[in-house]
C-alpha cells in the first residue's frame, strides 16, 4: 500500500517528511484551510515523491497554473468538481483524485460519472470542513464498493488505527485500497508534522507486504509489467521522444477528438454493429455477439489506427508518411488515409510478399502510394520493418512512421491501443442496449501483433468479471515447427523496439513464424499481451489452420458472413471450449474475408 502525507506547509518540515520517502506529499491550495500552502515554492524533493495539489472548487486555470509552477504530479479535488472539469485536467499528464466524503452510509452511484476519467477516488470523513476533520468513518461501508477504480483511504487516520488498518486489510473492501492518506493526526500544529510519529506509522506492515493492484495499462516509463519500453537506435531517439511527449496531449485536445470521431463516423462507418449471431449461438448453446469490424471501410479494424495516426502526424506538422507491411493490409490502410489527407506515402514491403500479395500492391499503387521492395534477408515483413526504420532515421524531421499494430517502441503500443479502444467503448453501450449490461462474460479476439485485441479489451482490462480470451495461430500445430503461437513458443526478447514475448532460437535469432493467415503470421505479440499472458489476466488459446478454416466456413453457412481468416481463428474457440447457455461472449470479427478468397478456394477446393 502507498502512503500519502497531506497538508504540508513549512519548508524544513517538508524536507524532513520527504526524507521518510512517502509516495505522495499533499499541498493544500485553499485559503480557508489552516494548512493553506501560500509559500512561493516547494523545496526540492526526491523524484519518487509525487507532489499533489489539493483544491476545492478552484478555477481550472488556477489549478493548471499551480501544476506548472510547482511541477505537481497529482491533483486532489475536494469540492463539487464535475466529470467534465476532471476531463479537462486529463491532458496535463497528472494523476487525478476525486474526493468523496462518507459518514455512515454512501451512495456509490455518484462515482459512476467519474469512472475512467479520474485515476483514483479518495474517501474521506464527512464533516464541517472539506477534509482535515480528524476522525475516521466506518470503513465497512466500503464492503459494498462496486468499482474497480483504486482508492485512497483518508480521514482521521492516526497511530491509534494501526489495529483497525490490519483488520481492514483482511476485508474484501481493501482489495482496491491503493493508499492511505494521513494528515491531522500526525501534527504538532496545523501543517507541522510530527516526524517521530510518522516514522512509527511508516513501520507498520501495511506498507510492506500488501498486494499491489495489478495495472494492465502502460506506466509512465512505457512498460506493461516487465514488457514494453523503447529499445531503439540512438539516431531514432528524437523522433520517438517527440511522439512520446506529444501523443497524449494531442489525443485529448477537443479539436483532435472531434476530427477523429467525425472521420470514424463518416469515413470509416462507425459505430460498427454489435451483432447477435443467433444461429451460431444456437449451435454452441450460448450467447455469441460479433463486433463487426469487418464492415469498416477497407474491411478491417486497421483503419481505426491509421486514421488516428495520420491526424497525429498532421498535428506534428509531418508531411511524409512511411509504413511497413507484410500481407499488405496495413499498407492499404495507410495508403488510404494518406490519399484522404493528401500526404506522401511510402510503404516498405518484402520482395517475396510483393509477389505473393499482388492485389494489395495494386490497391496501394491505385491509392497513390509508392511501394518499395525490401531486398535483404528473407525479404519479408521484418526486412520491410528494417527498411522503414532506416528511412525514419534518415528523415527525422518531416516523416511520421505509422506502425500497424500494438507493437513498437513506447509510445506506439499505447497510442495504437487508444485509437483502437473505440471498439470496446462501443461494445459497452451496445451491449447495454441489447443485454442491459455493459460487461459480457467473455471477450475474444485473435492476436497477430495485438491491435484488434487491445482495442477490444481496453475498457474491460480492469473489469475483473470479464474474462479475456486471446487467440493465437497454431499454424500446422504448436509442436510442428510451423506455428505462430507466441505465448506457448515465445521467450522474452526484443523485437520492433520493445521487450516482449518472441519466438526465437536459443541464441536469440528470431524464428520465422507460420500461419495460413497473413495477419497472424508474426513472431511476437505486443507488450500489453505479453503482460496479460504473464499475469494470467487473459487466457491464451491456439487454433490451427484447419480449425480456423472450418470455423470460417461455418460462419458463412450459419450467418451469411465471410470472415477474414484471422477472425476465423477467434471463431474456432467454440469447438475447443464450452460455455454456459447464458454466458454472453463478444467476439471481435476483425475483418472480412474478401482478401482471403483465394485461400479459401484453394483450401476447400471450391
Ligand atoms: C492485421 C489483421 C489482424 C492482426 O493484427 P492485430 O494487430 O493483431 O489486430 C487480425 N485481423 C485482421 C482482419 C487483420 O487484417
Amino acid at each position: 500500500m502507498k502512503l500519502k502525507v497531506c497538508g504540508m506547509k513549512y519548508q524544513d518540515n517538508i524536507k524532513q517528511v520527504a526524507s521518510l520517502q512517502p509516495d505522495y506529499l499533499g499541498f493544500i491550495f485553499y485559503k480557508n484551510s489552516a494548512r493553506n500552502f501560500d509559500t512561493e515554492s516547494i523545496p526540492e524533493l526526491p523524484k519518487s515523491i509525487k507532489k499533489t495539489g489539493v483544491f476545492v472548487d478552484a478555477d481550472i486555470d488556477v489549478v493548471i497554473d499551480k501544476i506548472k509552477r510547482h511541477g505537481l504530479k497529482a491533483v486532489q479535488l475536494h469540492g463539487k468538481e464535475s466529470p467534465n472539469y476532471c476531463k479537462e485536467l486529463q491532458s496535463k499528464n497528472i494523476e487525478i483524485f476525486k474526493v468523496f466524503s462518507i459518514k455512515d452510509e454512501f451512495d456509490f452511484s455518484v462515482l459512476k460519472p467519474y469512472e475512467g476519467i479520474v485515476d483514483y477516488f479518495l474517501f474521506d470523513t464527512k464533516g464541517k470542513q472539506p477534509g482535515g476533520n480528524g476522525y475516521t468513518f466506518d470503513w465497512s461501508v466500503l464492503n459494498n464498493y462496486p468499482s474497480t477504480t483504486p482508492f485512497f483511504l483518508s480521514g482521521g487516520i492516526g497511530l491509534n488505527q494501526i489495529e483497525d488498518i490490519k483488520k481492514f486489510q483482511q476485508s474484501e473492501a481493501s482489495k482496491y485500497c491503493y493508499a492511505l492518506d494521513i494528515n491531522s493526526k500526525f501534527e504538532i500544529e496545523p501543517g507541522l508534522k510530527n516526524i517521530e510519529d510518522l516514522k512509527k506509522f511508516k513501520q507498520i506492515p501495511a506498507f510492506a507486504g500488501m498486494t499491489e493492484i495489478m495495472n494492465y495499462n502502460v506506466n509512465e516509463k512505457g512498460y506493461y509489467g516487465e514488457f514494453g519500453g523503447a529499445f531503439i537506435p540512438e539516431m531514432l531517439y528524437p523522433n520517438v521522444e517527440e511522439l512520446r511527449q506529444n501523443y497524449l496531449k494531442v489525443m485529448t485536445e477537443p479539436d483532435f477528438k472531434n476530427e477523429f470521431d467525425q472521420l470514424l463516423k463518416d469515413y470509416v462507418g462507425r459505430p460498427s454493429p454489435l451483432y447477435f449471431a443467433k444461429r451460431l449461438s444456437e449451435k454452441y448453446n450460448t450467447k455469441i455477439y460479433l463486433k463487426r469490424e469487418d464492415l469498416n471501410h477497407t474491411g478491417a479494424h486497421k483503419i481505426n489506427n491509421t486514421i488516428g495516426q495520420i491526424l497525429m502526424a498532421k498535428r506534428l506538422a509531418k508531411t511524409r508518411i512511411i509504413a511497413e507491411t507484410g500481407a499488405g493490409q496495413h499498407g492499404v490502410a495507410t495508403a488510404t488515409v494518406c490519399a484522404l489527407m493528401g500526404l506522401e506515402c511510402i510503404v516498405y514491403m518484402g520482395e517475396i510478399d510483393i509477389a505473393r500479395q499482388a492485389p494489395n500492391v495494386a490497391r496501394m499503387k491505385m491509392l497513390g502510394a509508392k511501394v518499395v521492395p525490401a531486398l535483404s534477408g528473407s525479404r519479408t515483413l521484418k526486412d520491410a520493418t528494417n527498411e522503414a526504420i532506416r528511412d525514419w532515421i534518415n528523415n527525422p524531421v518531416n516523416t511520421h512512421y505509422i506502425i500497424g499494430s500494438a507493437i513498437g517502441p513506447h509510445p506506439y503500443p499505447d497510442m495504437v491501443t487508444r485509437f483502437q479502444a473505440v471498439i470496446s467503448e462501443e461494445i459497452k453501450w451496445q451491449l447495454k442496449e441489447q443485454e442491459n449490461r455493459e460487461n459480457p462474460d467473455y471477450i475474444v479476439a485473435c492476436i497477430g501483433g495485438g491491435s484488434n485485441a487491445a482495442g477490444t479489451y481496453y475498457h474491460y482490462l480492469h473489469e475483473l468479471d470479464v474474462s479475456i480470451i486471446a487467440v493465437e495461430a497454431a499454424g500446422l500445430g504448436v509442436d510442428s515447427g510451423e506455428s505462430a503461437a507466441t505465448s506457448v513458443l515465445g521467450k522474452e526478447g526484443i523485437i520492433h523496439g520493445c521487450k516482449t514475448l518472441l519466438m526465437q532460437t536459443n541464441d536469440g535469432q528470431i524464428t520465422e513464424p507460420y500461419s495460413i493467415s497473413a495477419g497472424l503470421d508474426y513472431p511476437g505479440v505486443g507488450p500489453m499481451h505479453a503482460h496479460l499472458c504473464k499475469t494470467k489476466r487473459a487466457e491464451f488459446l491456439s487454433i490451427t489452420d484447419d480449425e480456423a478454416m472450418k470455423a470460417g466456413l461455418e460462419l458463412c453457412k450459419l450467418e451469411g458472413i465471410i470472415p477474414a481468416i484471422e477472425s476465423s481463428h477467434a471463431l474456432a474457440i467454440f469447438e475447443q471450449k464450452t460455455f454456459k447457455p447464458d454466458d454472453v461472449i463478444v467476439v471481435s470479427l476483425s475483418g472480412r474475408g474478401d482478401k482471403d478468397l483465394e485461400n479459401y478456394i484453394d483450401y476447400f477446393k471450391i
Side-chain angles (χ1 to χ4, degrees):
M1 198 146 47
K2 307 275 183 200
L3 178 64
K4 171 167 172 279
V5 182
C6 202
M8 304 306 305
K9 198 164 160 68
Y10 302 102
Q11 300 283 310
D12 285 345
N13 193 236
I14 292 171
K15 287 183 210 162
Q16 281 178 309
V17 174
S19 73
L20 302 177
Q21 298 276 353
D23 303 285
Y24 295 84
L25 273 184
F27 300 88
I28 297 172
F29 299 101
Y30 180 56
K31 289 208 176 58
N32 298 345
S33 168
R35 302 172 187 85
N36 182 33
F37 186 79
D38 47 13
T39 317
E40 208 38 50
S41 64
I42 298 173
E44 188 83 15
L45 298 180
K47 274 213 169 54
S48 61
I49 300 177
K50 292 181 181 165
K51 284 181 262 184
T52 307
V54 180
F55 300 91
V56 185
D57 292 322
D59 212 63
I60 199 131
D61 293 334
V62 172
V63 177
I64 292 168
D65 176 64
K66 297 287 185 208
I67 293 172
K68 282 197 194 126
R69 181 181 322 191
H70 297 295
L72 301 179
K73 292 281 180 275
V75 296
Q76 178 176 325
L77 305 171
H78 259 269
K80 298 192 170 60
E81 294 86 0
S82 67
N84 272 339
Y85 180 105
C86 300
K87 232 182 199 160
E88 275 191 57
L89 291 173
Q90 268 184 324
S91 61
K92 302 295 165 206
N93 253 326
I94 43 156
E95 294 178 4
I96 304 172
F97 318 161
K98 181 71 191 86
V99 180
F100 294 90
S101 300
I102 298 184
K103 203 163 179 193
D104 301 323
E105 48 189 52
F106 185 64
D107 173 11
F108 284 101
S109 67
V110 300
L111 306 181
K112 194 85 190 179
Y114 294 89
E115 296 278 2
I117 296 174
V118 304
D119 298 278
Y120 302 98
F121 295 123
L122 186 148
F123 297 115
D124 189 6
T125 312
K126 198 176 197 121
K128 289 194 197 75
Q129 296 274 339
N133 289 292
Y135 50 94
T136 56
F137 66 91
D138 177 3
W139 295 342
S140 69
V141 173
L142 293 169
N143 282 332
N144 300 321
Y145 189 57
S147 167
T148 53
T149 301
F151 63 82
F152 282 61
L153 185 61
S154 183
I157 298 173
L159 288 171
N160 289 342
Q161 268 76 44
I162 289 180
E163 283 311 309
D164 292 344
I165 291 169
K166 281 188 194 155
K167 224 183 285 160
F168 176 69
Q169 284 189 272
Q170 306 300 319
S171 72
E172 186 63 17
S174 74
K175 207 167 94 191
Y176 292 104
C177 182
Y178 177 73
L180 295 180
D181 179 37
I182 56 178
N183 186 352
S184 63
K185 284 289 165 74
F186 292 87
E187 287 183 335
I188 297 157
E189 60 171 85
L192 186 66
K193 305 298 184 227
N194 183 329
I195 302 299
E196 291 315 309
D197 283 358
L198 281 175
K199 272 188 193 158
K200 272 185 222 153
F201 192 67
K202 188 92 204 295
Q203 298 306 320
I204 68 174
F207 302 112
M210 203 154 149
T211 46
E212 293 274 337
I213 293 168
M214 197 53 85
N215 178 19
Y216 300 106
N217 289 330
V218 81
N219 69 18
E220 59 267 37
K221 296 204 176 73
Y223 278 85
Y224 300 84
E226 63 197 83
F227 302 106
F231 297 82
I232 49 172
E234 188 152 328
M235 311 258 298
L236 265 190
Y237 181 80
N239 308 32
V240 174
E241 182 60 14
E242 180 189 24
L243 192 61
R244 191 191 66 79
Q245 285 189 4
N246 288 291
Y247 82 110
L248 283 177
K249 211 161 56 197
V250 171
M251 283 181 77
T252 47
E253 280 168 10
D255 278 356
F256 182 91
K257 270 196 66 56
N258 289 342
E259 197 174 352
F260 183 55
D261 291 347
Q262 193 78 34
L263 283 170
L264 288 184
K265 176 167 168 283
D266 298 333
Y267 188 73
V268 176
R270 302 203 74 92
S272 67
L274 182 69
Y275 165 68
F276 176 63
K278 183 155 170 288
R279 300 220 309 137
L280 191 69
S281 298
E282 274 163 12
K283 158 112 203 242
Y284 291 103
N285 193 23
T286 190
K287 292 167 99 172
I288 304 170
Y289 282 85
L290 303 177
K291 181 59 175 161
R292 298 290 309 274
E293 295 301 299
D294 60 316
L295 294 177
N296 293 342
H297 179 45
T298 69
H301 66 288
K302 286 194 172 71
I303 191 89
N304 304 327
N305 170 45
T306 54
I307 293 263
Q309 286 204 45
I310 200 91
L311 293 178
M312 180 67 63
K314 280 197 356 179
R315 290 298 190 287
L316 300 179
K318 307 293 176 185
T319 54
R320 186 172 171 274
I321 299 297
I322 57 171
E324 89 288 324
T325 195
Q329 292 303 111
H330 173 55
V332 170
T334 303
T336 301
V337 297
C338 287
L340 176 69
M341 294 295 167
L343 293 186
E344 185 186 355
C345 179
I346 295 106
V347 179
Y348 291 95
M349 192 167 182
E351 195 182 27
I352 301 268
D353 289 334
I354 290 181
R356 283 195 293 210
Q357 309 287 346
N360 275 340
V361 176
R363 283 188 186 100
M364 286 183 263
K365 288 184 178 165
M366 287 180 74
L367 292 162
K370 187 169 158 206
V371 181
V372 179
L375 305 171
S376 62
S378 57
R379 292 172 289 155
T380 57
L381 179 62
K382 70 175 167 21
D383 312 292
T385 304
N386 290 339
E387 292 297 329
I389 289 174
R390 205 163 298 147
D391 179 316
W392 208 23
I393 291 174
N394 290 330
N395 299 283
V397 178
N398 67 344
T399 299
H400 176 72
Y401 178 17
I402 299 192
I403 294 182
S405 191
I407 188 98
H410 178 65
Y412 276 99
D414 186 47
M415 180 171 67
V416 173
T417 297
R418 285 168 187 266
F419 287 137
Q420 293 291 1
V422 64
I423 299 174
S424 48
E425 192 183 313
E426 288 173 4
I427 295 173
K428 281 207 154 187
W429 62 259
Q430 290 173 320
L431 202 61
K432 178 82 182 169
E433 275 181 9
Q434 298 190 57
E435 286 284 333
N436 199 25
R437 53 192 266 203
E438 288 186 344
N439 291 5
D441 297 293
Y442 294 87
I443 42 174
V444 185
C446 67
I447 298 206
S451 67
N452 90 89
T456 305
Y457 304 162
Y458 186 75
H459 289 284
Y460 293 116
L461 288 171
H462 297 94
E463 309 271 331
L464 300 180
D465 57 326
V466 180
S467 301
I468 299 177
I469 297 181
V471 186
E472 289 184 317
L476 301 183
V478 169
D479 302 318
S480 66
E482 298 291 329
S483 177
T486 309
S487 73
V488 188
L489 302 169
K491 288 194 300 279
E492 197 172 291
I494 289 167
I495 184 173
H496 218 139
C498 63
K499 191 199 282 184
T500 187
L501 288 176
L502 172 63
M503 289 166 48
Q504 53 191 311
T505 61
N506 282 339
D507 48 4
Q509 291 293 325
I510 295 173
T511 321
E512 199 66 43
Y514 165 79
S515 162
I516 192 170
S517 130
L520 305 185
D521 195 356
Y522 186 73
V525 290
M528 175 173 138
H529 301 294
H531 183 52
L532 293 177
C533 179
K534 179 96 184 222
T535 56
K536 300 197 162 62
R537 174 69 183 94
E539 177 184 6
F540 277 68
L541 301 176
S542 328
I543 296 295
T544 63
D545 287 0
D546 290 339
E547 291 164 336
M549 295 306 271
K550 191 162 161 269
L553 192 61
E554 180 177 76
L555 192 75
C556 300
K557 305 276 193 235
L558 286 179
E559 298 289 348
I561 299 170
I562 303 178
I565 300 177
E566 291 83 359
S567 319
S568 299
H569 283 73
L571 295 164
I573 65 160
F574 295 104
E575 287 290 343
Q576 204 173 90
K577 191 175 165 79
T578 310
F579 296 91
K580 294 204 282 293
D582 57 356
D583 277 344
V584 172
I585 301 147
V586 175
V587 181
S588 164
L589 199 69
S590 54
R592 58 178 174 247
D594 306 26
K595 69 182 177 65
D596 297 320
L597 268 196
E598 213 160 315
N599 262 331
Y600 279 122
I601 291 168
D602 282 352
Y603 187 87
F604 291 111
K605 313 261 182 294
I606 300 166

